[in-house]
Amino acid sequence: MINVNCLNNIAACGLKLFSDEYNTESSFEDAQAVLVRSAKMHDMELSDNLLAIARAGAGVNNIPLDKCAEEGIVVFNTPGANANAVKEQVIAAMLLASRDLIGGNKWVADNAEDPDIAKATEKAKKAFAGQEIKGKKLGVIGLGAIGQLVANAAIALGMEVYGYDPYVSVKAAWNLSSEVKYISDVKDIYKECNYITVHVPALDSTKGMINKESIALMKDGVVILNFARDILVNDADMADALANGKVSRYVTDFPNPAVVNMPGALVLPHLGASTEESEENCAVMAAK
Ligand code: MLT
């Protein structure tokens, strides 16, 4: 019998793939295999039984990779399994940053008791006018499974798309629309784009890559989208850039005490991969 521990809820369609040779209700201590979503494993004692960890998601920053390598524990993730869900949310975020639908909806809720709301609407709506994304330039930093889908979707929406990824795989490049302009110096993304979205892993080399130096190169009023990991953005520099208007909106999927109170930041509770479909895709890929 092979013991499998689920550190987080894993969709049933994934667990069903295990045959009778597997016990999917094992404790963590007895498990040879662990399935994990967001549980932080850095401070956990890894038992000698453990052979493999499968992360039902893309990022592996909740897993102690160095410790696993030393102990010969194999770590898998599920690249691409949640990419469509994240792509859809990035497109929604870009639209929310461009049209004040949230402000408009709040106005309607605040005026719900007004019997003349239909008339009042026509006066009030000018406060929520925005801009279209069609014809604007989007810079996609990181052309892995998610970045590539975002780039192609933005092309379909009539945007001019610049893509940067010095490590792009043949598969990702193959799937990329030929209309995406491939950029070899990330500074050209910073200088040219109205919207910039980051899709790179959280590494020492990417930590704080969106900071006062990179922001200084950007267009005034740029919109920055972060659906990758919070540490990619220097929060203090972002707060300054939002306060002085250099950045018009910062949309992030990663609440922390700094961004939740940052005027101009639109903060979502890490919902990028939270769809039924993506949870199932990740569970199936992780179990396999
Ligand atoms: C990922 O790393 O796959 C996404 O951030 C979603 C998640 O953490 O589950």
Side-chain angles (χ1 to χ4, degrees), residues 84-263:
N84 189 64
V86 182
K87 171 203 82 180
E88 289 187 5
Q89 187 162 314
V90 171
I91 299 295
M94 197 155 49
L95 294 168
L96 291 177
S98 311
R99 310 279 293 268
D100 192 7
L101 303 179
I102 294 179
N105 178 253
K106 182 171 180 310
W107 179 87
V108 171
D110 290 346
N111 291 274
E113 304 306 319
D114 179 356
D116 284 330
I117 189 164
K119 199 164 161 216
T121 288
E122 295 311 315
K123 265 183 116 178
K125 71 180 186 187
K126 60 178 177 295
F128 309 109
Q131 283 194 330
E132 297 180 21
I133 58 172
K134 185 175 174 196
K136 305 293 187 309
K137 290 181 184 159
L138 169 69
V140 183
I141 300 177
L143 295 168
I146 298 169
Q148 166 223 308
L149 291 185
V150 170
N152 289 353
I155 290 282
L157 289 167
M159 299 186 83
E160 212 179 308
V161 180
Y162 288 45
Y164 171 79
D165 190 339
Y167 311 104
V168 69
S169 70
V170 172
K171 187 169 174 240
W174 198 266
N175 289 328
L176 211 52
S177 161
S178 59
E179 287 179 52
V180 175
K181 292 187 181 58
Y182 190 72
I183 301 297
S184 52
D185 184 346
V186 71
K187 289 196 184 93
D188 291 332
I189 296 240
Y190 296 149
K191 286 182 204 158
E192 294 293 332
C193 294
N194 312 97
Y195 298 81
I196 295 175
T197 184
V198 280
H199 298 286
V200 298
L203 303 171
D204 287 342
S205 57
T206 55
K207 187 174 176 185
M209 60 182 273
I210 304 295
N211 56 29
K212 60 174 180 294
E213 283 82 28
S214 50
I215 292 172
L217 298 174
M218 295 179 193
K219 280 183 175 307
D220 291 345
V222 64
V223 171
I224 297 179
L225 307 151
N226 179 7
F227 288 81
R229 283 296 178 264
D230 65 344
I231 64 156
L232 303 177
V233 174
N234 179 307
D235 288 333
D237 294 350
M238 179 57 74
D240 289 345
L242 284 165
N244 64 31
K246 179 75 184 175
V247 174
S248 63
R249 289 316 297 264
Y250 171 45
V251 193
T252 174
D253 214 14
F254 305 100
N256 68 33
V259 292
V260 292
N261 292 311
M262 209 180 270

Side-chain angles (χ1 to χ4, degrees), residues 59-76:
V60 285
N61 55 319
N62 56 329
I63 301 171
L65 297 181
D66 289 344
K67 200 151 93 181
C68 290
E70 274 163 30
E71 318 231 335
I73 298 166
V74 185
V75 178
F76 302 89

Side-chain angles (χ1 to χ4, degrees), residues 7-11 35-39 54-57 59 62 273-274 279:
L7 266 180
N8 299 105
N9 281 337
I10 300 292
L35 300 176
V36 59
R37 285 175 62 189
S38 57
R55 154 92 169 105
N62 56 329
S274 295
E279 286 176 10

